[in-house]
Amino acid sequence: HDASADLLAAAAELERRAAHPAAAAIVEAFGDDTPEVESFTSHPTGVEGTVDGRQVLVGNPDLFAERGWSVPEGVASRAAEAREAGKLPVLVGEDGAASGIVIVGDEARPDWESTLERLADRGLDV
């Protein structure tokens, strides 16, 4: 599911006020400093606010359930697939319903295996 570009920009403006790595990735991907944030609330699992007159919620599927926002089956299944693949699903919605998903993930460095082996050789369990 694809959220509209202006909704992703609104999500980025809310995430600009959050302090976690996934927020920074969303700001880098979609932020452009144009939407006006009229209110902002930080939750343990996401952010919420009014952006350009729209109520916007950005966060994990549990936050959408807690706030009583609907999540279409297609978005829910993409979120479950992302979680199973070790990635972080971030739902984006407006006015009471999720309308898209941003999937945040890390790419492993090419030398990760040798780094873990060196740490194990030192007796460190990672």
Side-chain angles (χ1 to χ4, degrees), residues 101-118:
I101 183 171
V102 176
I103 298 172
V104 180
D106 286 324
E107 291 190 23
R109 293 182 182 180
D111 62 346
W112 72 271
E113 288 179 286
S114 63
T115 300
L116 287 181
E117 287 169 7
R118 285 195 307 276

Side-chain angles (χ1 to χ4, degrees), residues 29-119:
F30 305 111
D32 66 3
D33 259 331
T34 55
E36 180 186 346
V37 175
E38 296 147 32
S39 71
F40 173 79
T41 304
S42 181
H43 299 282
T45 56
V47 292
E48 179 177 12
T50 305
V51 183
D52 287 343
R54 297 177 301 172
Q55 191 65 22
V56 177
L57 187 63
V58 184
N60 77 20
D62 294 339
L63 177 62
F64 277 71
E66 288 167 19
R67 305 295 295 152
W69 286 45
S70 64
V71 178
E73 181 54 40
V75 173
S77 64
R78 290 279 312 276
E81 289 169 13
R83 270 196 177 143
E84 288 171 17
K87 299 191 183 306
L88 176 67
V90 180
L91 274 52
V92 179
E94 61 184 323
D95 302 326
S99 55
I101 183 171
V102 176
I103 298 172
V104 180
D106 286 324
E107 291 190 23
R109 293 182 182 180
D111 62 346
W112 72 271
E113 288 179 286
S114 63
T115 300
L116 287 181
E117 287 169 7
R118 285 195 307 276
L119 291 170

